[in-house]
Amino acid sequence: MKFSEITEEFRKLGFKNFRTEGKPEVIQGAYDCAYNYFQSFEEIREQRQNSITLLGQPGTGKTHLLTAIANNLMFKKHVGVQYFPYVEGFNDLKDDFDKLEEKLARMKEADVLFIDDLFKPAKGVPRATDWQVEQTYAVINHRYLNYKPIMISSELPIDQMVEIDEALATRIYEMCKQYLVLIQGDKFQLNHRLEDMT
Ligand SMILES: Nc1ncnc2c1ncn2[C@@H]1O[C@H](COP(=O)(O)OP(=O)(O)OP(=O)(O)O)[C@@H](O)[C@H]1O
Ligand SMILES: [Mg+2]
């Protein structure tokens, strides 16, 4: 994928083109959570609970809403947001060990770090090798200690993250608990990609 393609697709995702009418209440809740987070960002950015996480089923708008926050932070508030799609991002880190430290440093220092699809499962099994967990922990712990915001989407609820790595998962929880939504239920109602099937 070319970088320009990612950014063009990315920039189209906003609050205005996220629909809530006719959707289950939890989707409205996710929208409100994301919108309130953006509205409160400047006020909370240095606090312990300065981060957001949208968790749960595929196709429910997690990436859309966090990207809407990212676009608004970047273009309206001039806040730097680094996008790290978990699977592709780790492939990229693995492919070029020479640049590993430099790339990790950028993830640690960005104004806001957006990790999309943390531990994204393959065939139902979360992807979390020891190396992936170790690197993710180093980045998140640095940001935790320095009060730097994160935005995280994942199919896994917090309790399943705790099973993978308690130290990592509980830091994420502590940072995000003010802005945390878990989207679970009937996939035919929740998955936007299946919307026209029923
Ligand atoms: N409420 C909505 N209104 C308009 N478009 C939506 C809505 N929810 C999702 N979409 C669109 O549906 C597609 C899937 O949404 P998105 O990628 O945000 O889901 P996700 O929860 O991140 O899924 P996954 O876990 O598979 O990554 C995207 O093209 C997104 O723009
Ligand atoms: Mg997604």
Side-chain angles (χ1 to χ4, degrees), residues 13 17-19 23 58-64 117 192-193:
L13 301 172
N17 56 16
F18 189 86
R19 283 209 340 268
K23 296 269 189 191
T60 51
K62 304 183 299 292
T63 298
H64 185 130
D117 254 324
H192 191 80
R193 299 181 183 113

Side-chain angles (χ1 to χ4, degrees), residues 57-64 67 83 114 116-117 120 153-155 193:
Q57 283 166 218
T60 51
K62 304 183 299 292
T63 298
H64 185 130
T67 306
Y83 180 62
F114 172 7
D116 198 16
D117 254 324
K120 185 183 175 58
S153 86
S154 180
E155 286 181 33
R193 299 181 183 113

Side-chain angles (χ1 to χ4, degrees), residues 113-129:
L113 175 67
F114 172 7
I115 302 180
D116 198 16
D117 254 324
L118 178 67
F119 302 141
K120 185 183 175 58
K123 294 185 183 149
V125 182
R127 265 180 278 212
T129 64

